[in-house]
Amino acid sequence: MAYDVVVIGSGPGGYVCAIKSAQLGLKTAIVEKNSTLGGTCLNIGCIPSKALLHASAVFHEAEHSHATLGVDVGKPKLDLNKMMAHKDGTVKANVDGVAFLMKKNKVDVLTGTGTVLGEGKLSVKGPDGKVQEVETKNIVIATGSDVAGIPGVDVEFDEKIIVSSTGALELPKVPKNLVVVGGGVIGLELGSVWQRLGANVTVIEYLDTILGGMDQDISKQFKKMLEKQGMVFKTGAKVTGIKKGKTGAEVSFEPAKGGDTEIASADIVLVATGRKPYTQDLGLENAGVVLDGQGRVDINEHWMTSIPGIYAIGDVVTGPMLAHKAEDEGMAVAELMAGQKGHVNFDVIPSVVYTEPEVASIGKTEEELKKAGIEYTSGKFPFSANGRARAMLATDGFVKVLADKKTDRVLGAHIVGKGAGDLIHEIAVIMEFGGSSEDLARTCHAHPTMSEAVREAALATAFGKPLHM
Ligand code: NAI
């Protein structure tokens, strides 16, 4: 049967592209080699990690702050099996939801490994080994990414002692000592989960700061907050080897600038040093699809690869490896394939670290503005001066808004604090509409809300001072 669109990969990029294509009247199929839909994000990434982040935060909060609120529950008892069951149930509800959406939108699900044969043609090898050839006007490669490992270090992931994010979501008991290699998003999110449940967590990070690329003000403050929670950091330290023993592992690291080797002992080591585009088994070389210098599928501004009618989106192409970026690309490509205009504004893609408190960022950092020689104004407001934050014992953190000095157009915003991942979106909307910090400052905000801190930061940007400080 001939399709208009066949999407390879059913993660957030792929399944959104399939739904949108079908909604636009294109006959669509989706190819997935796993038995469940949803890709890394739904099965072993965003969704299960958020279930554990929430559950572990509730556990931690029960022990540490509810008594202050007059809710003394005593020492909470951890039932890890139940917590894992909550995580598994959340995953199941989400992957079943995607299967339902495929049916609802009449998208055919072809279970198997997709291989591109050339323009308009691909094969799907099913779990029974049978291969079927499929004809289609358009192919969308949405195969995502895989764990990268540590450059130059032989890492043998057994997902029991030396784990990637996948194994870190499945630990059968709380480790006594967890060493995390990489102070990026995955390391800090999953490190937080196990720390809240009682593990001693040491993060070894190559750079001098955590969350490299984030606004430095935020990164510094956030590190202090995590240290207060008990996380130990070895920054400016390069991991050079991981030796597995019977019950644990030893991680060797040295100063990034060179120096003596130190050893950290752990019963579990989480390696979270980035991800790489997943282009395996796709037959791209044979089909003539060109990769860029970094192993990503090379695309033009319309996500088209070197072969007409073959597109690529999400982690397998350039840009931040974020589910929502992939989703937006999926929608845009569907629109383009249907003959409409498809567009993604890469200047306005929020990024959130779902720790407690959360970190959220959008647009340019101060460092990027300085580097680009753009003159800017900056306004900051701490949650400690926000009434709602006080009432919720959530006074840690601040909002920072950056705007163009001449035009006042908002160029970026950075938040560390409770619910930062939700607060960032009003700034996303302002930025999408080309709004100014004065627009944000003059927008009435309900009282008392954490969002008032966003407004106060905008007041500080637009008029030099906030009201409540
Ligand atoms: P990352 O790129 O965010 O962080 C990896 C860190 O490892 C870097 O800071 C790097 O300097 C460090 N590193 C590399 N080699 C090292 C060595 N030998 N010794 C010590 N440190 C070393 O990668 P991560 O955390 O694995 O995440 C992968 C991708 O998944 C990212 O693109 C991220 O955006 C995405 N992701 C996003 C989430 C979110 O938006 N909340 C959640 C989870 C993942």
Side-chain angles (χ1 to χ4, degrees):
M1 174 192 295
Y3 289 98
D4 293 313
V5 178
V6 176
V7 183
I8 307 178
S10 71
Y15 86 71
V16 164
C17 182
I19 293 174
K20 188 72 185 173
S21 300
Q23 285 177 347
L24 293 173
L26 302 173
K27 179 148 189 53
T28 307
I30 193 159
V31 182
E32 174 55 62
K33 66 180 164 62
N34 292 331
S35 56
T36 53
L37 301 174
T40 299
C41 175
L42 274 70
N43 289 278
I44 49 168
C46 332
I47 297 299
S49 65
K50 261 78 262 176
L52 290 185
L53 277 157
H54 176 70
S56 61
V58 170
F59 178 78
H60 191 263
E61 211 176 305
E63 185 167 13
H64 294 277
S65 58
H66 278 173
T68 324
L69 301 173
V71 188
D72 193 346
V73 291
K75 193 165 169 52
K77 206 171 134 249
L78 175 67
D79 184 341
L80 189 57
N81 286 338
K82 218 169 194 172
M83 203 176 269
M84 290 295 173
H86 161 66
K87 176 207 68 176
D88 295 340
T90 310
V91 168
K92 184 164 178 355
N94 278 271
V95 299
D96 287 354
V98 175
F100 164 77
L101 289 171
M102 294 302 110
K103 256 198 202 121
K104 186 179 170 201
N105 288 285
K106 300 194 172 53
V107 173
D108 288 347
V109 176
L110 312 176
T111 304
T113 303
T115 300
V116 180
L117 301 176
E119 204 178 324
K121 238 193 219 168
L122 74 154
S123 69
V124 180
K125 186 176 179 187
D128 54 3
K130 278 194 193 136
V131 179
Q132 61 166 315
E133 276 197 18
V134 183
E135 288 193 6
T136 174
K137 281 189 197 137
N138 301 286
I139 296 172
V140 181
I141 299 166
T143 45
S145 59
D146 200 359
V147 175
I150 310 176
V153 179
D154 196 15
V155 183
E156 183 204 324
F157 288 101
D158 61 358
E159 299 297 358
K160 287 192 166 59
I161 291 175
I162 302 176
V163 300
S164 67
S165 50
T166 307
L169 293 166
E170 292 281 341
L171 300 184
K173 62 176 196 194
V174 180
K176 190 158 184 295
N177 294 305
L178 171 68
V179 169
V180 177
V181 186
V185 195
I186 292 181
L188 299 180
E189 286 188 355
L190 292 176
S192 293
V193 165
W194 293 106
Q195 193 200 311
R196 289 171 197 161
L197 299 180
N200 299 313
V201 177
T202 304
V203 178
I204 307 175
E205 166 55 48
Y206 181 83
L207 300 173
D208 290 332
T209 55
I210 59 170
L211 294 178
M214 274 268 180
D215 192 276
Q216 285 305 297
D217 239 2
I218 295 275
S219 165
K220 279 182 200 146
Q221 175 82 13
F222 183 51
K223 182 163 171 268
K224 278 187 203 147
M225 289 172 170
L226 292 176
E227 280 169 340
K228 214 165 105 188
Q229 292 174 16
M231 210 176 259
V232 174
F233 289 96
K234 308 268 182 195
T235 48
K238 179 183 170 187
V239 167
T240 51
I242 304 177
K243 207 167 102 200
K244 199 171 86 177
K246 273 206 182 95
T247 55
E250 289 192 336
V251 180
S252 324
F253 61 99
E254 60 185 35
K257 294 180 185 116
D260 294 340
T261 299
E262 280 182 63
I263 304 280
S265 299
D267 24 6
I268 303 284
V269 180
L270 163 60
V271 177
T273 44
R275 297 180 62 86
K276 57 174 190 244
Y278 189 88
T279 52
Q280 244 164 277
D281 302 326
L282 271 171
L284 297 184
E285 215 170 281
N286 286 345
V289 175
V290 173
L291 300 186
D292 68 12
Q294 296 178 52
R296 302 174 296 207
V297 178
D298 203 20
I299 46 165
N300 68 12
E301 69 280 14
H302 290 137
W303 295 274
M304 198 185 280
T305 67
S306 48
I307 306 286
I310 303 183
Y311 299 84
I313 57 170
D315 285 9
V316 85
V317 300
T318 184
M321 287 181 164
L322 296 170
H324 42 284
K325 173 258 192 188
E327 287 183 34
D328 281 25
E329 289 184 327
M331 276 196 285
V333 164
E335 287 169 331
L336 289 167
M337 290 185 300
Q340 300 184 355
K341 302 251 184 301
H343 174 73
V344 175
N345 181 359
F346 288 100
D347 289 333
V348 185
I349 294 188
S351 151
V352 180
V353 186
Y354 298 89
T355 42
E356 192 58 62
E358 290 179 345
V359 179
S361 178
I362 192 157
K364 298 273 184 275
T365 63
E366 273 203 72
E367 291 74 30
E368 284 170 337
L369 291 174
K370 277 183 194 143
K371 203 168 161 208
I374 298 170
E375 284 196 274
Y376 64 93
T377 43
S378 159
K380 236 167 125 172
F381 192 79
F383 286 109
S384 57
N386 174 281
R388 183 70 183 279
R390 280 194 205 115
M392 298 196 314
L393 299 182
T395 50
D396 272 354
F398 63 88
V399 181
K400 177 159 93 172
V401 173
L402 304 168
D404 187 287
K405 195 167 185 176
K406 271 196 219 102
T407 64
D408 192 31
R409 185 178 177 144
V410 178
L411 299 175
H414 309 277
I415 308 175
V416 56
K418 193 167 190 66
D422 291 309
L423 296 177
I424 200 77
H425 290 97
E426 67 166 306
I427 303 163
V429 175
I430 277 279
M431 287 179 71
E432 195 60 52
F433 281 81
S436 63
S437 73
E438 186 176 342
D439 289 328
L440 190 52
R442 289 190 186 277
T443 304
C444 184
H445 282 62
H447 176 73
T449 56
M450 298 287 278
S451 299
E452 286 174 294
V454 174
R455 183 194 203 177
E456 291 278 356
L459 279 162
T461 314
F463 306 118
K465 44 186 146 209
L467 285 170
H468 290 84
M469 240 178 57

